[in-house]
Amino acid sequence: MGVRTRVAAVAALALAGSMLVAAPADAGSKKSGTTVKPVISGLVNPRGVATFGGKIIYSVGDGSVYEAWAHNGKVIRKLGQVPGGFAPAIDTNKWGVTYALTGAGGEPGQPLPPGSATLYKLRPGKAPLAIADIGKYQLTDPDPDNQQDGPPTESNPFGVAALKDGTVLVADAAGNDLLRVWPNGHIKTVARLKPRTVKVPPGLGTSAPPAGTPMVAEAVATSVTVGSDGYWYVGELRGFPATPKTSQIWRIKPGSVGAVCDPAKPYKGKCTRYADGYTSIVDLAGGPKGTLAVVELAKVSWFQWELGGSAVGSLYLQFPGKWHKAGYKKELAPGKLILPGGTAISSRGKVYVSSPLFGPGAVYQVVAKR
C-alpha cells in the first residue's frame, strides 16, 4: 500500500470515470425527505464547492475554478486554472477571495510534479498566485506515525479552509496533519492526527490479513472547515484496511500549534474527538448553529469500492450535542449520490454537493421535498 496516501489511489481510478453515472436530477428519498436538484450541470470530474453571497464557486478535473449564480447556475466567470489532472480543493474567505489547493499528482515515490502540492490564490484575469509549496514544507515536517511504505515526508494536500484573518488551513492526506499558511507563505503545523487500531473488515481478499485482525491504520486528513463556533474541524479517511465506521471528526482550538489528535486520548488537549462512526470522509463544511455537512466518498469504504464495491456515497448533516461533542446526524438523499467529492453550506443554510468525483456530473442543491 505504498502510495503518498491511500486517497491518492482514488485519483488513479479516474480512467474508470466513464463507467460512472451521476446522481439523477431531482432524485428524492422518502426516508430523508430530501431531493438533489442540479444547479450546475455538464461538469467533468467536479469536486470543490464553496459559496459567497449568492454565488457558487466550484472546481473541475482540469484544474479550472469557476463561479456561477446559485439561483440559476449561470457561469459568471472563470476564476483561474491550476495544475492538476485532479480537481483542486477550494475555499472562499469572507472577503470573496478564493484559494485552490493542488494535490500530489504524479507517480508514488517520485518527485512531485511542478505545481502540485501547492496553495494558490486565484486572481480573475491573472495567473493564479502560488502562496505556499506544501510539499516542500513537509520535507522538513515528517509524519512521526507513518505506517506506509513510502517516506514520512510525503505530501498530498487534500482539504482547505480560508480563515477571515487571511490565513488558510490545509489538511494534508499524506502527512496526516493540519497546517496553517500565512499570506507570505509561512507555514506552521497546527495538529497531527495519530493512527488508530482497527479490525480488518471482511471481503478484502487473500492479500489482506484475516477479517477481525487488529491493525494500525493511518488517520488520513482529507478535509477541514471552520464551525460556527469558530473552532477548526478536521475529517479523516481511514487508511488501509479502510474499516467502515472508523473515520473521526476532530475539533481543534483556533490558533493551536503542535496539537495532537489521539484516538487513545480523544478528549484531552487542544484537539478533541467531535464525532465518530463515519466512513471515508472526503469533505466537510460548516453551517449555521453548529451544523456540519459531511461527505463520505463511498459508504462501503474507499478500498471496498476499489475492489469493485458500490460507488454510492453519502452526505450527512451532523448536529451539535453537549460538551463540545456531536449530537445526532441525518443522511440527506440516501442512495442518490455517486462518489460525492465536495460540499458547502451557504450563509442561508442551503446545502450543496458535487457528484461524481470521476465522470460527468454536477453541483447539486439538497432541498426538502414538498
Side-chain angles (χ1 to χ4, degrees):
M1 310 303 290
V3 295
R4 287 196 172 94
T5 173
R6 289 312 306 154
V7 78
V10 174
L13 296 180
L15 293 177
S18 60
M19 298 185 295
L20 301 176
V21 180
D26 297 308
S29 168
K30 294 182 179 179
K31 180 179 179 181
S32 69
T34 55
T35 63
V36 287
K37 178 181 179 181
V39 177
I40 308 165
S41 302
L43 306 181
V44 179
N45 305 339
R47 183 191 170 200
V49 187
T51 62
F52 179 74
K55 297 178 287 188
I56 296 175
I57 298 91
Y58 62 95
S59 67
V60 292
D62 69 353
S64 296
V65 181
Y66 298 88
E67 66 176 359
W69 293 114
H71 69 280
N72 61 9
K74 184 177 180 180
V75 174
I76 302 169
R77 58 181 174 172
K78 182 176 179 177
L79 298 182
Q81 184 174 7
V82 296
F86 187 62
I90 60 170
D91 197 26
T92 301
N93 69 14
K94 65 174 295 184
W95 312 110
V97 178
T98 297
Y99 296 86
L101 178 71
T102 57
E107 294 296 325
Q110 299 300 312
L112 294 171
S116 63
T118 300
L119 177 68
Y120 292 88
K121 179 180 179 180
L122 300 185
R123 304 176 297 172
K126 299 181 180 180
L129 177 64
I131 299 296
D133 186 334
I134 307 300
K136 182 178 180 180
Y137 173 79
Q138 294 291 44
L139 290 175
T140 68
D141 186 49
D143 176 11
D145 298 299
N146 180 53
Q147 303 294 311
Q148 303 295 339
D149 295 336
T153 54
E154 287 185 320
S155 177
N156 185 21
F158 205 81
V160 64
L163 303 181
K164 61 183 180 181
D165 67 353
T167 62
V168 181
L169 299 176
V170 170
D172 194 312
N176 301 333
D177 55 6
L178 179 67
L179 311 176
R180 188 178 183 184
V181 182
W182 273 259
N184 64 359
H186 180 64
I187 304 175
K188 288 185 178 180
T189 300
V190 171
R192 299 187 186 279
L193 281 62
K194 296 186 73 65
R196 186 179 198 179
T197 300
V198 300
K199 292 184 178 180
V200 175
L204 299 191
T206 57
S207 60
T213 302
M215 187 172 183
V216 177
E218 289 193 347
V220 179
T222 55
S223 45
V224 59
T225 193
V226 180
S228 61
D229 59 358
Y231 274 68
W232 304 340
Y233 292 82
V234 176
E236 300 175 336
L237 176 144
R238 180 60 53 204
F240 183 81
T243 306
K245 307 299 182 183
T246 62
S247 290
Q248 303 158 107
I249 299 173
W250 295 96
R251 182 177 186 264
I252 300 172
K253 184 177 180 180
S256 295
V257 175
V260 178
C261 309
D262 188 354
K265 301 176 181 178
Y267 304 114
K268 293 185 178 181
K270 295 182 179 180
C271 179
T272 58
R273 181 192 289 155
Y274 181 70
D276 199 357
Y278 282 99
T279 302
S280 300
I281 296 173
V282 289
D283 202 20
L284 297 176
K289 299 181 180 179
T291 303
L292 295 181
V294 185
V295 174
E296 295 180 328
L297 179 69
K299 295 177 72 70
V300 297
S301 86
W302 63 266
F303 192 59
Q304 288 282 11
W305 170 64
E306 277 194 8
L307 294 176
S310 172
V312 174
S314 53
L315 172 67
Y316 285 91
L317 285 184
Q318 177 69 67
F319 297 92
K322 296 181 179 180
W323 310 111
H324 307 307
K325 296 180 183 179
Y328 69 97
K329 61 184 179 182
K330 176 183 179 182
E331 186 175 5
L332 305 180
K336 302 301 179 181
L337 295 171
I338 304 300
L339 297 179
T343 187
I345 304 178
S346 74
S347 59
R348 295 186 177 184
K350 294 182 179 180
V351 181
Y352 300 94
V353 62
S354 61
S355 170
L357 187 57
F358 304 126
V363 173
Y364 297 90
Q365 181 185 350
V366 183
V367 298
K369 290 183 68 176
R370 296 182 177 178

